[in-house]
Amino acid sequence: MDVTITVNGKTRGADVPPETTLLTLLRSNLGLTGAKLGCDVGDCGACTVLVDGEPVNACLMLAAQADGREVLTIEGLSDFQKLSPLQEMFELFSSFQCGFCAPGMIISAKALLDKNPTPTVADVREALSGNLCRCTGYTKIIDAVMEVAARGGATAERA
Amino acid sequence: MVIKVDDALRTDRLAELKEADATAVPAVAREGGRAPQIVPDANKQTPAVGQRVTRPDSRPHITGQTRYIDDLSFPNMLHMKILRSRYAHARIASIDVSEAEKMPGVVATLTGKEIPVNSFGPSYQDQPVLADEKVRHMGDGIVAVAAETEQQAQDALARIKVEYEPLPLVLDPLEAMKEDSPKIHGDSNIYATKVIRKGDVEKALAGADLVMEGRFSTQMVEHVPMEPHATIALWEPDGRVKILSSLGRITLGRADVARTLDLPVNRIQIVGTIVGGNFGGKNEITTEPVLALLARKAGRPVKGVFTRKDEFVSSTTRHPFIMDYKTGVMRDGRIVARKVRIVADGGAYCSWSETTLGKGAILSVGPYRIDHLEVRAYAVYTNKTTCGAMRGFGAPQVCFGYESHMDDIARELGIDPLEIRLRNVFDEGSSSPTGQVLHSVAVKESLDTVADRVGWREQAE
Amino acid sequence: MKRRGRGIACMWYPIGFTVAANPSAALVKVNEDGTATVLTGTVETGQGALTVLGQIAAEELGVAADDVHVVSGDTDATPMDTGAIASRTTYVTGNAIQMAAAEAKKVLFEVAAPMLGVRPDQLEARDRKIQVIGFPQKYLPIGDVANHAQVVMGRPPLGSASYNPPTVAMDPETGQGKPFSTYVYAAQVAEVEVDDETGEVEVLRVVAAHDCGTPINPTLVEGQVEGGISMGIGLALQEEILFDEEGRQINPNLTNYIMPTSLDMPEIEVDIVKNYDPTGPFGAKGVGEPTSVPTAAAIANAIFDAVGVRIHSLPATSEKVLMALREKQGKQKQIPAE
């Protein structure tokens, strides 16, 4: 079946079997491998993307359900030269170690800051609770998000 | 002509480093949301040691551009799935892949008999690459299938016929140590023993003011790297095999592949790409030889990625430890003798058990000055997931043992837990349990630092 | 009712393999402009090894971290390395890289000495310069020297080295020997809150002091400690692989294998203990594994401080804590009043 989505501002489509997940569509058909396959059942959050502004586990959403909708992946937050404020802070704080959870984590953090530009530490913990990280203990991740908030929110990002 | 050099003006970088301040992260700054530890131009500063340099590999990670192995694809690439054992302990009577090979998209299958040297392991090579005679835990792989898509490979697994002769199984390590227990390898389930002895522990225990005992045990846990094990194998036109793997140690991995495939080392290239977390679980080969052989059979690259279930069931875990401590102390809190017995549950295969047992045994006495000690440690097979290297090689387990025990002793003697430790820990030049003279010791400094931070002494009675 | 408690634990941990040889080899090339490339067979598994190894080479060559590029992880193109295991990378691979950089630096000094009118042993590399010790006004930019070396003198500044920690085999009967070249030490304090009606334990704060010798990169050391503590909390309170009587794992998934999320993490404070190990590169040792070692014990001791029960087996789930509490209350009721 044909599925068409607007991903990172561009209209893209593919012909996929009906049981294809949004994650598979992004990774295998559209070459956007930023969202990761960590568990395939929505437990780890490594596949988090924004669908119409809401954070979603792409492994739990069928590609067909995303048809006609707007999807934002990590690749849409920046290009190699210019980082979004969240990514800039992740780099400065070394808020990642192996990097596997980072795309999903950053997307979830962006979703929080878009809705709540002045979160408390508890708000940040809550918003990131669906993104598992085994390397960092979450500490420097929370530092980075709080620093972005303190500097005035994630306003300089590309759509 | 004699050139004069004034030594007094010689800059001594090493002396500078010796005097450098430790850098602490104050809690206060974190609550306020502003952290002073960013140094935006650290990467350009000299000297380089001690700088809060940001990682040169950060851009790819935070922009989603990093290519982990599952993000990579080669033309004509196939996907592999592995059929794992239905029983925790059984003989394999027969394997029939004929129906599976007829399934749509299936290009090649592989069984253990086709592997030139079907055994591996960092110390004892007691583990088959693919089980062909016996299975010893449910994570044992038996048949590998390479197909055009992952789904087709998965569907083909259901058509493989394996006949098992189930054997009695043993899951408890203390049971497994008994003479009449089902045997998993050879004649005994105890496959490694470590002994450390110093002084005369029985005499010293007899002379102690107080003898305390305690049993402590820990559970089986898993590394849970966010990236599951992943490997791609392909044969180059010049007859060499290239294997991209999430292995943390590629030199040894190459040696393992050379051995199992009976190939010269220089015909193998192992590329360790970016790894999404290891923690010890990616320190031995898993499917690398299988993928290499499938790729050769199929004449195409083959990729194999563990599912999250594979990660739990088939990759290694941390050894559960059962630890018995017996310590002789004097009224003033000085430890005069310590006896430790450790039973390490090793699961179905040896993997890194010998190393874990050895390190665990050495560390089990704790960072304490004890002249009379005895440690006896045993690694035992059980029909459970193989236990291997996991962050600490036995250290987290024994620390739980000796530090819980220490607090019990402190309470019994009415001595503050911090004080009793300070009275007993290593100093610079102390003798370790194995008789080594220790240098660069910092236990007291570590204890004092945390005590000051939490105001331990102020709050103590 | 919620009760607070705190517990302390200290530990020691070795660097490198137990007795057995675990060498690392390294190659350092200084490019024509004074930047450098390092070849190492180790693999970056997220801990920031390549960053730290680059800093070590940079320190030896007197340049900045940005001036060094580290190539790793290819058995064809990089020299052997025993691997990112046993917390050995900073110490063993780091020593090999420092020695290799020193070899490359020798070439630079031999080429620069006649240009500066001094002997090679009068030179040092600092701040991207090859300068005279005691008279730093006399110097050449490292790029000039490197270019001159390769292009004029025909001596590309190249260095290679390997390192293996010195050990002594352990006696098979008594275990006496020198199994490791060096060890690291640490202490942690955990503050917990225990609900004595449900047995639930919440970790409020963990304070950690870790010795790693010279911290090559303090941010990355902190990252290791914070990550290690999260694994320690999981070990102490949550994680467990469960089997049924047929040997089948009951919870081989992340829904039922409970591990720490951002909600489970306490405030963490990290202090790097001031120390220097002369056997390590610029005094450094290592820190990868030690970080999760004392946490479970500190938490177990804190639970005792809070509610007076000793947990003998991990994980200290709320069921276990509650059962221990009930047992203790039962015992207390049985003690006859004096």
Side-chain angles (χ1 to χ4, degrees):
Chain A
M1 56 178 286
D2 279 314
V3 171
T4 307
I5 60 174
T6 305
V7 57
N8 302 333
K10 290 198 178 79
T11 306
R12 310 223 16 214
D15 183 15
V16 293
E19 68 274 13
T20 308
T21 62
L22 174 60
L23 183 64
T24 304
L25 175 73
L26 290 169
R27 288 177 56 78
S28 304
N29 298 89
L30 302 183
L32 293 165
T33 56
K36 305 296 178 202
L37 180 68
C39 70
D40 213 20
V41 291
D43 284 326
C44 73
C47 63
T48 309
V49 296
L50 294 187
V51 177
D52 291 340
E54 291 298 316
V56 156
N57 284 322
C59 72
L60 289 180
M61 182 177 262
L62 291 177
Q65 290 171 293
D67 187 51
R69 296 169 81 173
E70 291 211 11
V71 178
L72 180 73
T73 71
I74 186 75
E75 290 93 337
L77 275 194
S78 72
D79 58 32
F80 230 74
Q81 300 308 315
K82 188 168 182 343
L83 300 176
S84 66
L86 260 175
Q87 289 163 313
E88 208 191 312
M89 282 309 129
F90 260 61
E91 181 172 79
L92 285 175
F93 278 86
S94 282
S95 302
F96 63 92
Q97 288 180 29
C98 80
F100 201 79
C101 77
M105 194 72 76
I106 292 171
I107 292 286
S108 290
K110 172 177 162 54
L112 166 72
L113 290 175
D114 283 350
K115 291 210 172 75
N116 177 2
T118 54
T120 61
V121 169
D123 291 334
V124 177
R125 288 188 191 279
E126 181 71 44
L128 300 183
S129 60
N131 291 83
L132 292 179
C133 174
R134 199 51 158 166
C135 295
T136 67
Y138 309 97
T139 312
K140 291 189 192 299
I141 293 172
I142 295 168
D143 283 347
V145 178
M146 293 300 290
E147 185 68 18
V148 172
R151 288 188 188 200
T155 52
E157 297 173 67
R158 285 173 44 174
Chain B
M1 189 172 72
V2 175
I3 298 166
K4 286 193 189 195
V5 176
D6 189 344
D7 279 324
L9 295 173
R10 178 190 285 263
T11 47
D12 191 337
R13 177 64 179 137
L14 295 184
E16 273 179 35
L17 286 168
K18 282 184 195 168
E19 292 311 309
D21 272 327
T23 326
V25 179
V28 171
R30 184 161 284 131
E31 272 161 278
R34 314 305 294 259
Q37 68 262 35
I38 315 173
V39 183
D41 57 351
N43 294 42
K44 297 187 168 41
Q45 301 284 333
T46 57
V49 162
Q51 299 284 353
R52 290 182 177 271
V53 166
T54 59
R55 286 176 48 178
D57 47 352
S58 63
R59 291 283 154 116
H61 282 341
I62 59 183
T63 57
Q65 298 298 321
T66 304
R67 297 279 169 188
Y68 300 87
I69 292 177
D70 194 26
D71 300 327
L72 298 172
S73 196
F74 289 86
N76 274 336
M77 191 172 74
L78 298 170
H79 298 266
M80 178 198 75
K81 287 287 178 191
I82 293 193
L83 178 75
R84 302 198 182 278
S85 174
R86 270 192 39 212
Y87 292 94
H89 200 200
R91 243 177 267 293
I92 296 176
S94 69
I95 303 172
D96 179 1
V97 299
S98 53
E99 288 304 310
E101 286 183 329
K102 294 179 195 148
M103 291 285 284
V106 172
V107 175
T109 63
L110 194 82
T111 60
K113 291 203 178 352
E114 301 169 72
I115 301 175
V117 177
N118 190 16
S119 70
F120 74 97
S123 48
Y124 307 142
Q125 287 77 52
D126 65 344
Q127 187 167 356
V129 178
L130 285 175
D132 58 355
E133 286 166 4
K134 207 181 169 200
V135 287
R136 297 176 175 88
H137 72 118
M138 288 203 187
D140 260 332
I142 304 171
V143 180
V145 174
E148 302 284 351
T149 71
E150 271 189 76
Q151 191 60 52
Q152 287 170 330
Q154 187 69 39
D155 292 341
L157 295 186
R159 292 283 203 263
I160 298 171
K161 299 193 188 79
V162 179
E163 271 181 32
Y164 300 90
E165 287 159 17
L167 296 165
L169 48 94
V170 57
L171 299 175
D172 180 279
L174 296 174
E175 285 302 310
M177 288 172 87
K178 295 182 179 160
E179 278 285 317
D180 56 355
S181 162
K183 300 296 185 300
I184 301 173
H185 298 258
D187 296 327
S188 168
N189 289 325
I190 302 173
Y191 61 96
T193 305
K194 301 283 175 188
V195 176
I196 302 175
R197 276 192 285 117
K198 212 182 182 194
D200 185 340
V201 73
E202 298 302 341
K203 185 165 165 219
L205 280 170
D209 288 340
L210 173 73
V211 175
M212 290 276 299
E213 294 187 56
R215 170 172 280 199
F216 302 93
S217 64
T218 64
Q219 75 285 39
M220 187 184 282
V221 294
E222 218 274 323
H223 314 77
V224 192
M226 294 323 296
E227 181 213 20
H229 284 66
T231 307
I232 300 176
L234 56 115
W235 289 80
E236 304 279 22
D238 60 6
R240 297 174 83 235
V241 65
K242 177 169 173 165
I243 302 176
L244 298 95
S245 173
S246 54
L247 266 180
R249 60 209 230 331
I250 54 176
T251 305
L252 296 173
R254 182 179 60 172
D256 286 332
V257 172
R259 191 178 151 275
T260 52
L261 266 42
D262 195 20
L263 283 175
V265 169
N266 73 347
R267 300 207 81 63
I268 301 163
Q269 179 190 12
I270 309 249
V271 176
T273 63
I274 310 297
V275 182
N278 179 342
F279 312 110
K282 291 175 178 162
N283 284 338
E284 62 227 280
I285 55 168
T286 51
T287 56
E288 288 80 355
V290 172
L291 286 160
L293 289 171
L294 279 172
R296 187 161 67 183
K297 255 186 152 182
R300 296 163 66 171
V302 186
K303 178 200 273 191
V305 182
F306 275 29
T307 61
R308 184 54 60 185
K309 184 176 172 189
D310 285 329
E311 279 299 315
F312 279 105
V313 159
S314 179
S315 79
T316 57
T317 61
R318 174 178 275 151
H319 295 72
F321 270 29
I322 299 169
M323 301 161 281
D324 291 315
Y325 276 82
K326 189 172 186 180
T327 302
V329 274
M330 307 309 277
R331 281 275 147 224
D332 66 359
R334 265 181 311 124
I335 300 175
V336 295
R338 177 163 279 175
K339 256 178 108 164
V340 189
R341 187 188 90 139
I342 298 171
V343 173
D345 183 346
Y349 298 103
C350 179
S351 179
W352 290 93
S353 298
E354 252 216 298
T355 315
T356 303
L357 197 71
K359 254 195 212 187
I362 294 167
L363 299 171
S364 67
V365 175
Y368 298 109
R369 301 186 317 274
I370 304 174
D371 293 329
H372 305 277
L373 57 95
E374 184 186 270
V375 180
R376 289 191 177 276
Y378 308 94
V380 184
Y381 287 125
T382 57
N383 291 115
K384 304 204 294 284
T385 315
T386 306
C387 301
M390 180 168 168
R391 206 169 191 176
F393 281 108
Q397 297 96 310
V398 300
C399 185
F400 170 65
Y402 63 71
E403 289 299 83
S404 299
H405 186 50
M406 193 58 141
D407 258 31
D408 286 346
I409 294 170
R411 192 174 328 106
E412 192 64 32
L413 292 174
I415 300 177
D416 176 74
L418 172 68
E419 279 316 305
I420 198 171
R421 285 171 170 83
L422 288 172
R423 272 175 221 178
N424 286 287
V425 289
F426 291 140
D427 286 313
E428 187 74 14
S430 288
S431 174
S432 79
T434 66
Q436 171 175 359
V437 177
L438 297 169
H439 74 276
S440 178
V441 178
V443 211
K444 285 202 170 118
E445 292 83 336
S446 303
L447 283 165
D448 283 332
T449 305
V450 292
D452 288 344
R453 255 210 194 277
V454 301
W456 186 282
R457 292 184 174 92
E458 289 73 45
Q459 283 185 45
E461 298 87 22
Chain C
M1 196 178 139
K2 294 205 183 177
R3 297 176 187 279
R4 291 206 173 178
R6 65 180 188 191
I8 194 167
C10 61
M11 72 105 224
W12 63 314
Y13 192 77
I15 300 295
F17 277 21
T18 315
V19 180
N22 60 119
S24 287
L27 234 119
V28 173
K29 316 189 278 184
V30 180
N31 305 315
E32 304 91 305
D33 62 351
T35 61
T37 305
V38 173
L39 305 184
T40 165
T42 197
V43 177
E44 171 67 63
T45 60
Q47 74 282 51
L50 303 186
T51 312
V52 165
L53 297 174
Q55 284 177 262
I56 289 172
E59 177 73 34
E60 186 65 33
L61 294 171
V63 299
D66 261 2
D67 298 323
V68 177
H69 175 65
V70 181
V71 175
S72 72
D74 182 336
T75 58
D76 275 358
T78 58
M80 73 77 58
D81 193 292
T82 306
I85 181 175
S87 303
R88 59 185 290 288
T89 302
T90 301
Y91 186 79
V92 185
T93 307
N95 266 336
I97 286 176
Q98 193 213 342
M99 288 156 62
E103 286 294 306
K105 193 169 71 172
K106 250 196 232 166
V107 176
L108 292 172
F109 285 176
E110 282 166 18
V111 165
M115 292 162 82
L116 290 167
V118 296
R119 292 191 321 263
D121 66 4
Q122 289 175 262
L123 295 173
E124 62 180 358
R126 275 199 83 142
D127 306 324
R128 293 195 187 84
K129 294 180 272 198
I130 307 295
Q131 63 192 31
V132 179
I133 298 167
F135 196 72
Q137 305 91 304
K138 204 161 176 66
Y139 73 91
L140 287 163
I142 189 172
D144 290 3
V145 178
N147 187 66
H148 194 83
Q150 183 169 309
V151 167
V152 177
M153 302 304 295
R155 295 189 63 193
L158 207 64
S160 69
S162 71
Y163 179 78
N164 181 44
T167 59
V168 175
M170 289 163 72
D171 182 284
E173 313 265 300
T174 61
Q176 298 299 297
K178 184 187 171 199
F180 307 100
S181 177
T182 193
Y183 302 77
V184 293
Y185 306 86
Q188 291 183 4
V189 168
E191 288 178 4
V192 305
E193 193 169 75
V194 184
D195 186 325
D196 66 8
E197 283 158 37
T198 63
E200 269 175 62
V201 178
E202 194 189 335
V203 184
L204 301 173
R205 187 182 176 205
V206 173
V207 169
H210 278 261
D211 153 50
C212 60
T214 303
I216 305 283
N217 185 323
T219 303
L220 299 185
V221 173
E222 287 157 11
Q224 285 300 300
V225 178
E226 290 153 6
I229 288 172
S230 80
M231 277 190 145
I233 289 173
L235 182 70
L237 300 174
Q238 300 174 312
E239 298 177 42
E240 186 165 17
I241 292 185
L242 300 162
F243 290 87
D244 68 16
E245 38 340 303
E246 286 172 33
R248 179 178 298 109
Q249 282 192 22
I250 299 172
N251 57 341
N253 53 67
L254 291 169
T255 322
N256 298 314
Y257 181 90
I258 315 295
M259 60 169 259
T261 67
S262 54
L263 292 169
D264 300 307
M265 290 304 290
E267 287 300 314
I268 298 182
E269 291 155 57
V270 180
D271 274 302
I272 300 172
V273 173
K274 184 168 143 175
N275 204 359
Y276 181 91
D277 186 330
T279 65
F282 304 109
K285 293 191 275 188
V287 81
E289 288 167 287
T291 55
S292 59
V293 171
T295 316
I299 290 173
N301 287 341
I303 292 173
F304 191 97
D305 189 47
V307 290
V309 299
R310 168 56 64 197
I311 298 296
H312 286 97
S313 79
L314 295 180
T317 57
S318 47
E319 292 82 17
K320 264 189 207 165
V321 173
L322 197 57
M323 209 158 65
L325 277 166
R326 297 228 169 99
E327 209 184 287
K328 178 173 162 234
Q329 281 155 12
K331 277 202 190 116
Q332 284 174 338
K333 287 200 183 101
Q334 282 161 27
I335 296 169
E338 289 291 318

